[in-house]
């Protein structure tokens, strides 16, 4: 169980990082799921999906951490059922929720740290992800959130709880038959490397992307040791086209940052190659690369095709820098977020996420089989 001392330890970096973030802002702005989903060849996908990583898959774990990287307040969640700010980094559902909804597994993915988590939720999809985390442990440390090592420890705790609930044999079955979805690298690249910049004293872009890929590979091997066999890892999105990146690195006209996008592409190429190696070396493993760079970039480059009016700013506040605590109840919001690709300066709206998730499912549904 995550201890009080652990939470106190996480807290120590929050003030520094908040100061750094605000500096950049000012500087650059003067029930159990048993449904089976049929695929083209008549086989079925996993009935359970475990989520790890960052804010793309965080269902509210950061609510229970002493971090500035949280969003359990309005206007976040304004289009969620009941208008509740659940700690999801958008106006409604995240890709975690949308994926299990589209696949017919369940409606929402609960956060593992939620004290209201029910025993009936344990044998189904659960999120261990933590917003602002990354493959680089420095990323999680900067923002006082759950590192991948922390998330693994929580998953081990989850397995023991599951054994107590359904027995060891059934628990092992859940672990081995689950799909594992992992999202990271966006914060590593966009914030830890390019914005905060500490890692640039140690690595050039080529070396840092090697470092991230090695960390991702290590995580896959850890899940494999625990019994996981079917894993899918998101690549990096076009981080240079995020509204925040446009503001801090896109010049006076807030164009996409080519340097940041090139780093994301380099990372993705290396990750894909590494996952091919893991598939060759880990018996019975199926580790899949999920391209999110092109689906998101397609929406950015062709907004009218998808019904968007604004793709360079978020709906919250000015849309150029607002994120987490800077997008709050005092921030004005757009009247129609369905016309905005981004909710804040870093995260898409539910509608944007839904279009991306639908394409991900369409292009990758058979790869895990």
């Amino acid at each position: 169980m995550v201890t009080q001392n652990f939470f106190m330890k996480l807290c120590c970096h929050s003030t520094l990082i908040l100061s750094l973030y605000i500096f950049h802002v000012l500087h650059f702005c003067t029930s159990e799921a048993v449904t089976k989903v049929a695929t083209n060849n008549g086989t079925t996908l996993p009935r359970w999906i475990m989520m790890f990583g960052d804010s793309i898959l965080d269902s509210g774990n950061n609510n229970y951490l002493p971090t500035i990287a949280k969003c359990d307040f309005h206007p976040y969640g304004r289009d969620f059922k009941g208008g509740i700010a659940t700690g999801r980094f958008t106006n409604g559902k995240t890709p975690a929720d949308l994926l299990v909804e589209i696949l017919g597994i369940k409606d929402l993915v609960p956060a593992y740290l939620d004290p209201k988590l029910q025993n009936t939720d344990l044998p189904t999809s659960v999120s261990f992800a933590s917003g602002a985390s990354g493959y680089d442990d420095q990323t999680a440390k900067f923002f006082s959130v759950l590192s991948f090592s922390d998330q693994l420890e929580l998953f081990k705790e989850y397995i023991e709880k599951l054994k107590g609930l359904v027995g060891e044999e059934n628990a092992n079955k859940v672990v081995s038959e689950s799909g594992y979805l992992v999202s990271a690298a966006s914060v590593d690249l966009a914030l830890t490397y390019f914005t905060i910049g500490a890692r640039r004293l140690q690595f050039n872009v080529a070396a840092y992307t090697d470092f991230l890929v090695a960390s991702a590979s290590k995580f896959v091997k850890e899940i494999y040791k625990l019994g996981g066999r079917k894993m899918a890892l998101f690549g990096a999105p076009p981080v240079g086209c995020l509204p925040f990146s446009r503001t801090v690195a896109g010049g006076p006209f807030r164009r996409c940052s080519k340097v940041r996008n090139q780093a994301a592409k380099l990372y993705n190429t290396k990750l894909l190659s590494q996952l091919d190696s893991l598939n060759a070396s880990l018996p019975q493993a199926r580790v899949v690369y999920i391209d999110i760079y092109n689906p998101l970039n397609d929406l950015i480059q062709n907004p009218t095709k998808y019904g968007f009016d604004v793709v360079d700013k978020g709906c919250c506040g000015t849309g150029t820098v607002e994120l987490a605590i800077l997008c709050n109840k005092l921030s004005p919001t757009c009247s129609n977020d369905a016309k905005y690709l981004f909710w804040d300066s870093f995260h898409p709206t539910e509608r944007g996420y839904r279009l991306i998730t639908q394409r991900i499912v369409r292009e990758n549904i058979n790869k895990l089989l």
Side-chain angles (χ1 to χ4, degrees):
M1 185 174 182
V2 180
T3 65
Q4 183 177 6
N5 288 337
F6 170 71
F7 287 131
M8 292 176 66
K9 182 179 179 182
L10 280 173
C11 193
C12 64
H13 295 275
S14 292
T15 301
L16 172 62
I17 300 310
L18 177 58
S19 300
L20 284 169
Y21 183 82
I22 292 177
F23 167 77
H24 280 282
V25 169
L26 295 175
H27 180 71
F28 289 100
C29 287
T30 293
S31 91
E32 178 177 356
V34 295
T35 304
K36 293 187 176 182
V37 182
T39 59
N40 290 339
N41 59 10
T43 55
T44 58
L45 287 169
R47 293 179 294 170
W48 313 280
I49 302 178
M50 305 302 165
M51 315 285 184
F52 297 87
D54 57 20
S55 55
I56 293 179
L57 302 177
D58 184 359
S59 298
N61 285 310
N62 280 15
N63 297 353
Y64 311 101
L65 303 177
T67 176
I68 60 170
K70 59 175 60 182
C71 54
D72 54 341
F73 42 79
H74 291 140
Y76 286 98
R78 79 173 190 183
D79 299 309
F80 196 80
K81 183 170 57 177
I84 302 171
T86 61
R88 289 166 168 82
F89 287 79
T90 185
N91 58 308
K93 291 184 174 183
T94 68
D97 304 312
L98 296 170
L99 180 63
V100 296
E101 172 196 313
I102 292 170
L103 297 181
I105 296 174
K106 61 194 303 184
D107 185 46
L108 297 169
V109 177
Y112 180 71
L113 290 183
D114 188 345
K116 297 180 181 179
L117 186 72
Q118 302 294 312
N119 284 341
T120 52
D121 288 318
L122 292 180
T124 68
S125 303
V126 178
S127 174
F128 301 89
S130 182
S133 190
Y135 289 125
D136 185 348
D137 282 348
Q138 282 294 321
T139 299
K141 187 176 181 181
F142 283 146
F143 296 101
S144 301
V145 297
L146 299 174
S147 67
F148 269 77
S149 297
D150 298 326
Q151 293 178 39
L152 273 174
E153 289 304 311
L154 290 176
F155 183 56
K156 292 175 184 177
E157 177 185 279
Y158 160 87
I159 293 173
E160 294 306 311
K161 287 183 178 180
L162 192 60
K163 288 178 180 178
L165 182 65
V166 300
E168 184 168 358
E169 182 179 349
N170 287 328
N172 291 338
K173 182 178 181 180
V174 170
V175 171
S176 65
E177 294 185 1
S178 287
Y180 295 84
L181 187 61
V182 187
S183 169
S186 299
V187 185
D188 295 320
L189 292 170
L191 296 181
T192 302
Y193 190 80
F194 283 109
T195 302
I196 297 171
R199 283 302 196 187
R200 279 187 287 174
L201 300 175
Q202 301 172 262
F203 303 102
N204 59 25
V205 171
Y208 190 62
T209 51
D210 284 340
F211 172 73
L212 294 181
V213 169
S215 297
S217 179
K218 179 182 177 182
F219 182 76
V220 168
K221 291 175 182 177
E222 292 293 334
I223 292 294
Y224 183 84
K225 288 178 183 178
L226 293 172
R229 293 295 180 266
K230 294 183 178 182
M231 296 168 247
L233 279 67
F234 283 179
V239 294
C241 292
L242 301 178
F244 175 80
S245 290
R246 289 176 183 264
T247 301
V248 302
F253 297 104
R254 299 184 65 254
R255 294 191 173 96
C256 294
S257 168
K258 292 183 179 179
V259 171
R260 296 185 178 207
N261 280 348
Q262 286 169 353
K265 289 180 179 179
L266 180 60
Y267 165 79
N268 290 340
T269 299
K270 293 178 178 180
L271 179 64
L272 178 58
S273 177
Q274 181 60 26
L275 297 188
D276 286 341
S277 296
L278 289 171
N279 279 315
S281 62
L282 300 177
Q284 298 181 323
R286 182 69 61 87
V287 189
V288 174
Y289 169 79
I290 303 293
D291 172 29
I292 62 171
Y293 188 103
N294 288 304
L296 179 55
N297 195 52
D298 185 26
L299 300 181
I300 293 169
Q301 301 303 325
N302 304 287
T304 56
K305 176 181 177 181
Y306 298 99
F308 292 113
D309 291 338
V310 183
V311 297
D312 63 344
K313 297 180 181 179
C315 172
C316 184
T318 65
T320 59
V321 295
E322 288 82 358
L323 169 66
I325 62 173
L326 295 182
C327 173
N328 54 61
K329 64 181 181 181
L330 300 179
S331 306
T333 56
C334 63
S335 58
N336 184 6
D337 53 51
K339 294 295 183 178
Y340 280 69
L341 174 56
F342 290 95
W343 169 249
D344 59 20
S345 68
F346 215 86
H347 305 96
T349 55
E350 178 182 321
R351 182 167 180 267
Y353 272 144
R354 186 176 290 278
L355 289 171
I356 294 168
T357 305
Q358 287 172 340
R359 178 166 169 177
I360 287 173
V361 172
R362 185 168 64 248
E363 294 180 350
N364 299 279
I365 192 169
N366 291 306
K367 291 182 181 179
L368 280 172
L369 302 173

